[in-house]
Coordinates of all heavy atoms in Angstrom, one line a residue:
M1 N -22.5 92.2 17.7 CA -21.9 92.5 19.0 C -22.9 93.2 19.9 O -23.0 92.9 21.0 CB -20.7 93.4 18.8 CG -20.0 93.9 20.1 SD -18.5 94.8 19.8 CE -18.7 96.1 20.9
T2 N -23.6 94.2 19.4 CA -24.6 94.9 20.2 C -26.0 94.7 19.7 O -26.2 94.3 18.5 CB -24.3 96.4 20.2 OG1 -24.4 96.9 18.9 CG2 -22.9 96.7 20.8
S3 N -26.9 94.9 20.5 CA -28.3 94.8 20.1 C -28.8 96.2 19.8 O -27.9 97.1 19.5 CB -29.2 94.2 21.2 OG -29.1 95.0 22.4
Q4 N -30.0 96.5 19.8 CA -30.6 97.8 19.5 C -30.1 98.8 20.5 O -29.9 98.5 21.7 CB -32.1 97.8 19.4 CG -32.7 96.9 18.3 CD -32.4 97.6 17.0 OE1 -32.0 98.7 16.8 NE2 -32.5 96.7 15.9
A5 N -30.0 100.1 20.1 CA -29.7 101.1 21.0 C -30.9 101.2 22.0 O -32.1 101.2 21.6 CB -29.5 102.5 20.3
V6 N -30.6 101.4 23.2 CA -31.7 101.5 24.2 C -31.9 102.9 24.6 O -33.0 103.2 25.2 CB -31.3 100.7 25.5 CG1 -31.4 99.2 25.2 CG2 -30.0 101.1 26.1
H7 N -31.0 103.8 24.3 CA -31.2 105.2 24.6 C -30.3 106.1 23.7 O -29.1 105.8 23.5 CB -30.8 105.5 26.1 CG -30.9 106.9 26.5 ND1 -32.1 107.6 26.6 CD2 -30.0 107.8 26.8 CE1 -31.9 108.8 27.0 NE2 -30.6 108.9 27.1
A8 N -30.9 107.1 23.1 CA -30.1 108.1 22.4 C -30.6 109.4 22.9 O -31.8 109.7 23.0 CB -30.4 108.0 20.9
T9 N -29.7 110.3 23.3 CA -30.1 111.6 23.8 C -30.7 112.5 22.7 O -30.3 112.4 21.6 CB -28.9 112.3 24.5 OG1 -27.9 112.5 23.6 CG2 -28.5 111.5 25.7
P10 N -31.6 113.4 23.1 CA -32.2 114.3 22.1 C -31.2 115.2 21.5 O -31.4 115.7 20.4 CB -33.2 115.1 23.0 CG -33.4 114.4 24.2 CD -32.2 113.5 24.4
D11 N -30.0 115.5 22.1 CA -29.0 116.4 21.5 C -28.2 115.7 20.5 O -27.3 116.3 19.9 CB -28.2 117.0 22.6 CG -27.3 116.0 23.3 OD1 -27.3 114.8 23.0 OD2 -26.5 116.4 24.2
H12 N -28.4 114.4 20.2 CA -27.7 113.6 19.1 C -26.2 113.5 19.4 O -25.4 113.5 18.5 CB -28.0 114.2 17.8 CG -29.4 114.1 17.3 ND1 -29.8 113.1 16.5 CD2 -30.4 114.9 17.5 CE1 -31.1 113.3 16.3 NE2 -31.5 114.4 16.9
R13 N -25.9 113.4 20.7 CA -24.5 113.2 21.1 C -24.2 111.9 21.8 O -23.0 111.5 21.7 CB -24.0 114.4 22.0 CG -24.0 115.7 21.3 CD -23.4 116.8 22.2 NE -22.1 116.4 22.6 CZ -21.7 116.6 23.9 NH1 -22.5 117.0 24.8 NH2 -20.5 116.2 24.2
T14 N -25.1 111.3 22.4 CA -24.9 110.1 23.3 C -25.9 109.0 22.9 O -27.0 109.2 22.7 CB -25.1 110.4 24.8 OG1 -24.3 111.5 25.1 CG2 -24.8 109.3 25.6
V15 N -25.3 107.8 22.7 CA -26.1 106.6 22.4 C -25.6 105.5 23.4 O -24.5 105.3 23.6 CB -25.9 106.1 21.0 CG1 -26.7 104.9 20.7 CG2 -26.1 107.2 20.0
V16 N -26.6 104.8 24.0 CA -26.3 103.7 24.9 C -26.9 102.4 24.3 O -28.0 102.4 23.9 CB -27.0 103.9 26.3 CG1 -26.7 102.8 27.2 CG2 -26.5 105.3 26.9
F17 N -26.0 101.4 24.2 CA -26.4 100.1 23.7 C -26.4 99.1 24.9 O -25.7 99.2 25.8 CB -25.4 99.6 22.7 CG -25.4 100.4 21.4 CD1 -24.5 101.5 21.3 CD2 -26.2 100.1 20.4 CE1 -24.5 102.2 20.1 CE2 -26.2 100.8 19.2 CZ -25.3 101.9 19.1
K18 N -27.2 98.1 24.8 CA -27.2 96.9 25.7 C -26.6 95.8 24.9 O -27.2 95.4 23.8 CB -28.6 96.6 26.2 CG -28.7 95.6 27.3 CD -28.1 96.0 28.6 CE -29.0 97.0 29.3 NZ -28.6 97.3 30.6
T19 N -25.5 95.2 25.4 CA -24.9 94.1 24.6 C -25.6 92.8 24.9 O -26.4 92.7 25.8 CB -23.4 93.9 25.0 OG1 -23.3 93.6 26.4 CG2 -22.6 95.2 24.8
V20 N -25.2 91.7 24.2 CA -25.8 90.4 24.3 C -25.6 89.8 25.7 O -26.3 89.0 26.2 CB -25.3 89.4 23.3 CG1 -25.9 89.8 21.9 CG2 -23.8 89.3 23.2
N21 N -24.5 90.2 26.4 CA -24.2 89.8 27.8 C -24.7 90.8 28.8 O -24.2 90.8 29.9 CB -22.7 89.4 27.9 CG -21.8 90.5 27.7 OD1 -22.2 91.6 27.2 ND2 -20.5 90.3 27.9
N22 N -25.6 91.7 28.4 CA -26.3 92.6 29.3 C -25.4 93.7 29.8 O -25.7 94.3 30.8 CB -27.0 91.9 30.4 CG -28.2 92.6 30.8 OD1 -28.9 93.3 30.0 ND2 -28.6 92.5 32.1
A23 N -24.3 94.0 29.1 CA -23.4 95.1 29.5 C -23.9 96.4 28.8 O -24.5 96.3 27.7 CB -22.0 94.9 29.1
D24 N -23.7 97.6 29.3 CA -24.0 98.8 28.7 C -22.8 99.4 28.0 O -21.7 99.4 28.6 CB -24.5 99.9 29.7 CG -25.9 99.5 30.2 OD1 -26.6 98.9 29.5 OD2 -26.2 100.0 31.4
V25 N -22.9 99.8 26.7 CA -21.9 100.4 26.0 C -22.4 101.8 25.6 O -23.4 102.0 25.0 CB -21.5 99.7 24.7 CG1 -20.5 100.4 23.9 CG2 -21.0 98.3 25.1
T26 N -21.7 102.8 26.0 CA -22.1 104.2 25.8 C -21.1 104.9 24.8 O -19.9 104.8 25.1 CB -22.2 105.0 27.1 OG1 -23.1 104.4 28.0 CG2 -22.6 106.4 26.9
V27 N -21.6 105.5 23.8 CA -20.8 106.3 22.9 C -21.2 107.7 23.0 O -22.4 108.0 22.8 CB -20.9 105.8 21.4 CG1 -20.1 106.6 20.5 CG2 -20.6 104.3 21.3
V28 N -20.2 108.6 23.3 CA -20.5 110.0 23.4 C -19.7 110.8 22.3 O -18.5 110.6 22.3 CB -20.2 110.5 24.8 CG1 -20.4 112.0 24.9 CG2 -20.9 109.8 25.9
F29 N -20.4 111.6 21.5 CA -19.7 112.3 20.5 C -19.4 113.7 21.0 O -20.2 114.3 21.8 CB -20.6 112.4 19.2 CG -20.8 111.1 18.6 CD1 -21.9 110.4 18.8 CD2 -19.8 110.5 17.8 CE1 -22.1 109.1 18.2 CE2 -20.0 109.3 17.2 CZ -21.1 108.6 17.4
P30 N -18.3 114.4 20.6 CA -18.0 115.7 21.1 C -19.0 116.8 20.6 O -19.2 117.8 21.2 CB -16.6 116.0 20.6 CG -16.4 115.0 19.5 CD -17.3 113.9 19.7
E31 N -19.6 116.5 19.4 CA -20.6 117.4 18.8 C -21.8 116.6 18.4 O -21.7 115.4 18.1 CB -20.0 118.2 17.7 CG -18.8 119.0 18.1 CD -18.2 119.7 16.9 OE1 -18.8 119.6 15.7 OE2 -17.2 120.4 17.1
P32 N -23.0 117.2 18.2 CA -24.1 116.4 17.7 C -23.8 115.8 16.3 O -23.1 116.4 15.5 CB -25.2 117.5 17.6 CG -24.8 118.5 18.6 CD -23.3 118.5 18.5
V33 N -24.3 114.6 16.1 CA -24.2 114.0 14.8 C -25.6 113.7 14.2 O -26.6 113.6 14.9 CB -23.4 112.6 14.9 CG1 -22.0 112.9 15.3 CG2 -24.1 111.7 15.8
E34 N -25.6 113.6 12.8 CA -26.9 113.5 12.2 C -27.7 112.2 12.5 O -28.9 112.2 12.8 CB -26.7 113.6 10.7 CG -28.0 113.7 9.9 CD -27.8 113.9 8.4 OE1 -26.9 114.7 8.1 OE2 -28.5 113.3 7.6
N35 N -27.0 111.1 12.5 CA -27.6 109.8 12.8 C -26.8 109.2 13.9 O -25.9 108.4 13.7 CB -27.7 108.9 11.6 CG -28.5 107.6 11.8 OD1 -28.7 107.2 13.0 ND2 -28.9 107.0 10.8
P36 N -27.1 109.5 15.2 CA -26.2 109.0 16.3 C -26.1 107.5 16.4 O -25.0 107.0 16.7 CB -26.8 109.7 17.5 CG -28.2 110.1 17.2 CD -28.2 110.3 15.7
E37 N -27.2 106.8 16.2 CA -27.1 105.3 16.4 C -26.2 104.7 15.3 O -25.3 103.9 15.6 CB -28.5 104.7 16.3 CG -28.5 103.2 16.6 CD -29.8 102.6 16.5 OE1 -30.8 103.3 16.8 OE2 -29.9 101.4 16.3
Y38 N -26.4 105.1 14.1 CA -25.5 104.6 13.0 C -24.0 105.0 13.2 O -23.2 104.2 13.1 CB -26.0 105.2 11.6 CG -25.2 104.8 10.5 CD1 -25.3 103.5 9.9 CD2 -24.2 105.6 10.0 CE1 -24.5 103.1 8.8 CE2 -23.4 105.3 8.9 CZ -23.6 104.0 8.3 OH -22.8 103.6 7.3
A39 N -23.8 106.3 13.6 CA -22.4 106.7 13.9 C -21.8 105.9 15.0 O -20.6 105.6 15.0 CB -22.4 108.2 14.1
A40 N -22.6 105.7 16.1 CA -22.1 105.0 17.2 C -21.7 103.5 16.8 O -20.7 103.0 17.3 CB -23.1 105.0 18.4
R41 N -22.6 102.9 16.0 CA -22.3 101.5 15.5 C -21.0 101.5 14.8 O -20.2 100.6 14.9 CB -23.4 101.0 14.7 CG -24.6 100.6 15.5 CD -25.7 100.0 14.6 NE -26.9 99.7 15.4 CZ -27.1 98.7 16.2 NH1 -26.2 97.8 16.3 NH2 -28.2 98.5 16.8
A42 N -20.7 102.5 13.9 CA -19.5 102.6 13.2 C -18.3 102.7 14.1 O -17.2 102.1 13.9 CB -19.6 103.8 12.2
V43 N -18.4 103.5 15.2 CA -17.4 103.7 16.2 C -17.1 102.3 16.8 O -15.9 101.9 16.9 CB -17.7 104.7 17.2 CG1 -16.8 104.7 18.4 CG2 -17.7 106.1 16.6
I44 N -18.1 101.6 17.2 CA -17.9 100.3 17.9 C -17.3 99.3 17.0 O -16.4 98.6 17.3 CB -19.3 99.8 18.5 CG1 -19.7 100.8 19.6 CG2 -19.2 98.4 19.0 CD1 -21.1 100.5 20.1
S45 N -17.7 99.3 15.7 CA -17.2 98.4 14.7 C -15.7 98.7 14.5 O -14.9 97.7 14.4 CB -17.9 98.4 13.4 OG -19.3 98.0 13.6
G46 N -15.4 99.9 14.4 CA -14.0 100.3 14.2 C -13.1 99.9 15.4 O -12.0 99.4 15.2
L47 N -13.6 100.1 16.6 CA -12.9 99.7 17.8 C -12.7 98.2 17.8 O -11.6 97.7 18.1 CB -13.7 100.2 19.0 CG -13.1 99.8 20.3 CD1 -11.7 100.4 20.5 CD2 -14.0 100.3 21.5
A48 N -13.7 97.4 17.4 CA -13.6 96.0 17.4 C -12.6 95.5 16.4 O -11.8 94.6 16.7 CB -15.0 95.3 17.1
R49 N -12.5 96.1 15.2 CA -11.5 95.8 14.2 C -10.1 96.1 14.7 O -9.2 95.4 14.5 CB -11.8 96.5 12.9 CG -12.9 95.9 12.1 CD -13.0 96.5 10.7 NE -13.1 98.0 10.7 CZ -14.3 98.6 10.8 NH1 -15.4 98.0 10.8 NH2 -14.3 100.0 10.8
S50 N -10.0 97.3 15.4 CA -8.7 97.7 15.9 C -8.2 96.7 17.0 O -7.0 96.3 17.0 CB -8.8 99.1 16.5 OG -7.6 99.4 17.1
I51 N -9.1 96.3 17.8 CA -8.7 95.3 18.9 C -8.3 93.9 18.2 O -7.4 93.3 18.6 CB -9.9 95.1 19.9 CG1 -10.0 96.4 20.7 CG2 -9.6 93.9 20.8 CD1 -11.2 96.4 21.6
S52 N -9.1 93.5 17.3 CA -8.8 92.3 16.6 C -7.5 92.3 15.9 O -6.7 91.4 16.0 CB -9.9 92.0 15.6 OG -9.7 90.8 14.9
A53 N -7.2 93.4 15.2 CA -5.9 93.5 14.5 C -4.7 93.5 15.5 O -3.7 92.9 15.2 CB -5.9 94.8 13.7
R54 N -4.9 94.2 16.6 CA -3.9 94.2 17.7 C -3.6 92.8 18.2 O -2.5 92.4 18.4 CB -4.3 95.1 18.8 CG -3.2 95.3 19.8 CD -3.6 96.2 21.0 NE -4.6 95.5 21.7 CZ -5.6 96.0 22.4 NH1 -5.6 97.3 22.5 NH2 -6.4 95.3 23.1
D55 N -4.7 92.0 18.4 CA -4.6 90.7 18.9 C -3.9 89.8 17.9 O -3.1 88.9 18.3 CB -6.0 90.1 19.3 CG -6.6 90.7 20.5 OD1 -5.9 91.4 21.2 OD2 -7.8 90.5 20.7
E56 N -4.2 89.9 16.6 CA -3.6 89.2 15.6 C -2.1 89.5 15.5 O -1.3 88.6 15.3 CB -4.3 89.4 14.2 CG -5.6 88.8 14.1 CD -6.4 89.3 12.9 OE1 -5.8 89.9 12.0 OE2 -7.6 88.9 12.7
E57 N -1.7 90.8 15.6 CA -0.3 91.1 15.6 C 0.4 90.5 16.8 O 1.5 90.1 16.7 CB -0.2 92.7 15.6 CG 1.2 93.2 15.7 CD 2.1 92.8 14.4 OE1 1.5 92.6 13.4 OE2 3.3 92.8 14.6
A58 N -0.2 90.5 18.0 CA 0.4 90.0 19.1 C 0.6 88.5 19.0 O 1.6 87.9 19.4 CB -0.4 90.2 20.4
A59 N -0.4 87.8 18.3 CA -0.2 86.3 18.1 C 0.9 86.1 17.1 O 1.7 85.1 17.3 CB -1.5 85.8 17.5
R60 N 1.1 86.9 16.1 CA 2.2 86.8 15.1 C 3.5 87.0 15.8 O 4.5 86.2 15.6 CB 2.0 87.7 13.9 CG 1.0 87.3 12.9 CD 1.1 88.2 11.6 NE 0.8 89.6 11.9 CZ -0.4 90.1 11.8 NH1 -1.4 89.3 11.5 NH2 -0.6 91.4 12.0
E61 N 3.6 88.0 16.7 CA 4.8 88.2 17.4 C 5.2 87.0 18.3 O 6.3 86.7 18.4 CB 4.7 89.5 18.3 CG 4.7 90.8 17.4 CD 6.1 91.0 16.8 OE1 7.1 90.7 17.4 OE2 6.1 91.5 15.7
R62 N 4.2 86.5 19.0 CA 4.4 85.3 19.9 C 4.9 84.1 19.0 O 5.8 83.4 19.4 CB 3.2 84.9 20.6 CG 2.9 85.8 21.8 CD 1.8 85.2 22.7 NE 0.5 85.0 22.0 CZ -0.4 85.9 21.8 NH1 -0.3 87.1 22.3 NH2 -1.5 85.5 21.2
A63 N 4.3 83.9 17.9 CA 4.7 82.8 17.0 C 6.1 83.0 16.5 O 6.9 82.0 16.5 CB 3.8 82.6 15.8
L64 N 6.5 84.2 16.2 CA 7.9 84.5 15.7 C 8.8 84.3 16.8 O 9.9 83.7 16.7 CB 8.0 86.0 15.2 CG 9.3 86.5 14.8 CD1 9.9 85.6 13.7 CD2 9.3 87.9 14.5
E65 N 8.5 84.7 18.0 CA 9.4 84.6 19.2 C 9.6 83.1 19.5 O 10.7 82.6 19.8 CB 8.8 85.3 20.4 CG 9.7 85.7 21.5 CD 10.9 86.5 21.1 OE1 10.8 87.4 20.3 OE2 12.0 86.2 21.6
E66 N 8.5 82.3 19.4 CA 8.6 80.8 19.7 C 9.5 80.2 18.6 O 10.3 79.3 18.9 CB 7.2 80.2 19.7 CG 6.4 80.5 20.9 CD 5.0 79.9 20.8 OE1 4.8 79.0 19.9 OE2 4.2 80.3 21.6
G67 N 9.3 80.6 17.4 CA 10.2 80.1 16.3 C 11.6 80.4 16.5 O 12.5 79.5 16.2
L68 N 11.9 81.6 16.9 CA 13.3 81.9 17.2 C 13.9 81.1 18.3 O 15.0 80.7 18.3 CB 13.4 83.4 17.5 CG 13.2 84.4 16.3 CD1 13.2 85.8 16.7 CD2 14.3 84.1 15.2
E69 N 13.1 80.9 19.4 CA 13.5 80.2 20.5 C 13.8 78.7 20.1 O 14.7 78.1 20.6 CB 12.5 80.2 21.7 CG 12.5 81.6 22.4 CD 11.4 81.7 23.4 OE1 10.7 80.7 23.7 OE2 11.2 82.8 23.9
D70 N 12.9 78.2 19.3 CA 13.0 76.8 18.9 C 14.2 76.6 18.0 O 14.8 75.5 17.9 CB 11.8 76.3 18.1 CG 10.5 76.2 19.0 OD1 10.7 76.2 20.2 OD2 9.4 76.1 18.5
S71 N 14.7 77.6 17.3 CA 15.8 77.4 16.4 C 17.2 77.7 17.1 O 18.2 77.5 16.5 CB 15.7 78.4 15.2 OG 15.8 79.7 15.6
F72 N 17.1 78.1 18.4 CA 18.3 78.3 19.1 C 19.1 77.0 19.4 O 18.4 76.0 19.7 CB 18.0 79.0 20.5 CG 19.2 79.4 21.3 CD1 19.9 80.6 21.0 CD2 19.7 78.6 22.3 CE1 21.0 80.9 21.7 CE2 20.8 78.9 23.0 CZ 21.4 80.1 22.7
P73 N 20.3 76.9 19.3 CA 21.3 77.9 19.0 C 21.7 78.0 17.5 O 22.6 78.7 17.1 CB 22.6 77.4 19.8 CG 22.5 76.0 19.7 CD 21.0 75.7 19.7
A74 N 20.9 77.3 16.7 CA 21.2 77.4 15.2 C 21.1 78.8 14.7 O 21.7 79.1 13.6 CB 20.2 76.5 14.5
S75 N 20.4 79.7 15.3 CA 20.3 81.1 14.9 C 21.5 81.9 15.2 O 21.7 83.0 14.8 CB 19.1 81.7 15.4 OG 19.1 81.8 16.8
D76 N 22.4 81.3 16.1 CA 23.6 82.1 16.5 C 24.6 82.1 15.3 O 24.7 81.1 14.5 CB 24.3 81.4 17.7 CG 23.6 81.6 18.9 OD1 22.6 82.4 19.0 OD2 23.9 80.9 19.9
P77 N 25.4 83.2 15.1 CA 26.4 83.2 14.0 C 27.4 82.1 14.2 O 27.8 81.7 15.3 CB 27.0 84.6 14.1 CG 26.6 85.1 15.5 CD 25.4 84.3 16.0
V78 N 27.9 81.7 13.1 CA 29.0 80.6 13.1 C 30.3 81.3 13.5 O 30.6 82.3 13.0 CB 29.1 80.0 11.7 CG1 30.3 79.0 11.6 CG2 27.8 79.4 11.3
A79 N 31.0 80.6 14.5 CA 32.3 81.1 14.9 C 33.3 80.6 14.0 O 33.5 79.4 13.8 CB 32.5 80.7 16.3
A80 N 34.1 81.4 13.3 CA 35.1 81.0 12.4 C 36.5 81.1 13.0 O 36.8 82.1 13.6 CB 35.1 81.9 11.1
S81 N 37.2 80.0 13.0 CA 38.5 80.0 13.5 C 39.4 79.1 12.6 O 38.9 78.2 12.0 CB 38.6 79.5 14.9 OG 38.1 78.2 15.0
V82 N 40.7 79.4 12.6 CA 41.6 78.6 11.8 C 42.6 78.0 12.7 O 43.2 78.8 13.5 CB 42.3 79.5 10.7 CG1 43.4 78.7 10.0 CG2 41.3 80.2 9.8
T83 N 42.8 76.8 12.6 CA 43.8 76.1 13.5 C 44.9 75.5 12.5 O 44.6 74.8 11.6 CB 43.2 74.9 14.2 OG1 42.1 75.5 15.0 CG2 44.2 74.3 15.2
A84 N 46.1 75.9 12.8 CA 47.2 75.4 12.0 C 48.3 74.8 12.9 O 48.6 75.4 14.0 CB 47.8 76.5 11.2
V85 N 48.9 73.8 12.5 CA 50.0 73.2 13.2 C 51.3 73.4 12.4 O 51.3 73.0 11.2 CB 49.7 71.6 13.4 CG1 50.9 71.0 14.2 CG2 48.4 71.4 14.2
L86 N 52.2 74.1 13.0 CA 53.5 74.4 12.3 C 54.4 73.2 12.6 O 54.5 72.6 13.6 CB 54.1 75.7 12.9 CG 53.2 76.9 12.6 CD1 53.9 78.1 13.3 CD2 53.1 77.2 11.1
P87 N 55.2 72.9 11.5 CA 56.2 71.9 11.7 C 57.2 72.3 12.8 O 57.4 73.5 13.0 CB 56.9 71.8 10.4 CG 56.0 72.4 9.4 CD 55.2 73.4 10.2
K88 N 57.8 71.3 13.4 CA 58.7 71.5 14.5 C 59.9 72.4 14.1 O 60.5 72.2 13.0 CB 59.2 70.2 15.1 CG 60.0 70.3 16.4 CD 60.3 69.0 16.9 CE 60.9 69.1 18.3 NZ 61.1 67.8 18.9
G89 N 60.1 73.5 14.8 CA 61.3 74.3 14.5 C 60.8 75.6 13.7 O 61.6 76.5 13.5
H90 N 59.6 75.6 13.2 CA 59.1 76.8 12.4 C 58.4 77.7 13.4 O 57.6 77.3 14.2 CB 58.3 76.4 11.3 CG 59.0 75.7 10.2 ND1 59.5 76.4 9.1 CD2 59.4 74.4 10.0 CE1 60.1 75.6 8.3 NE2 60.1 74.4 8.8
T91 N 58.6 79.0 13.2 CA 57.9 80.0 14.0 C 56.7 80.6 13.3 O 55.9 81.3 13.9 CB 58.8 81.1 14.5 OG1 59.3 81.8 13.3 CG2 60.0 80.6 15.2
G92 N 56.5 80.4 12.0 CA 55.4 81.0 11.3 C 55.8 82.3 10.7 O 55.0 83.0 10.1
N93 N 57.0 82.8 11.0 CA 57.4 84.1 10.5 C 58.2 84.0 9.2 O 58.8 84.9 8.8 CB 58.2 84.9 11.6 CG 57.4 85.2 12.8 OD1 56.2 85.4 12.7 ND2 58.0 85.3 13.9
N94 N 58.3 82.8 8.7 CA 59.2 82.6 7.5 C 58.5 83.0 6.2 O 57.4 82.8 5.9 CB 59.6 81.2 7.4 CG 60.4 80.8 8.7 OD1 60.7 81.7 9.5 ND2 60.8 79.6 8.8

């Protein structure tokens, strides 16, 4: 996803990467870290995994929604009713 870090600050808190499409990605830590480039790559990788998982979940939700729509109205509950014809002269109270 990213190329080499192009800048890391001497205080070990900020790392700037240049991406393959020439965008800048900056990672800033609240406190200095021992290996800022490695830590920043871990942050970026975790973010990419999170975005990918969210996209996969959204795709599953869309597929489920489409499946439910395709099954309509079969997914509606069955309406149960009883129809009876009483012989002439009977009220059904006998």
Side-chain angles (χ1 to χ4, degrees):
M1 176 174 136
T2 58
S3 61
Q4 294 293 342
V6 293
H7 177 70
T9 58
D11 66 358
H12 294 267
R13 291 186 57 226
T14 305
V15 181
V16 179
F17 294 91
K18 187 69 77 173
T19 65
V20 293
N21 59 353
N22 213 29
D24 289 334
V25 175
T26 303
V27 178
V28 179
F29 296 99
E31 298 178 7
V33 294
E34 188 173 318
N35 186 341
E37 184 177 334
Y38 177 79
R41 286 182 186 280
V43 167
I44 293 169
S45 293
L47 179 61
R49 283 191 303 274
S50 175
I51 291 169
S52 178
R54 187 185 67 206
D55 290 348
E56 289 172 7
E57 177 64 23
R60 282 192 295 272
E61 288 292 325
R62 281 191 304 274
L64 176 61
E65 203 55 42
E66 286 176 17
L68 289 173
E69 288 174 8
D70 290 345
S71 68
F72 184 81
S75 61
D76 290 347
V78 176
S81 63
V82 177
T83 304
V85 178
L86 296 174
K88 192 173 188 171
H90 288 265
T91 62
N93 294 331
N94 300 354

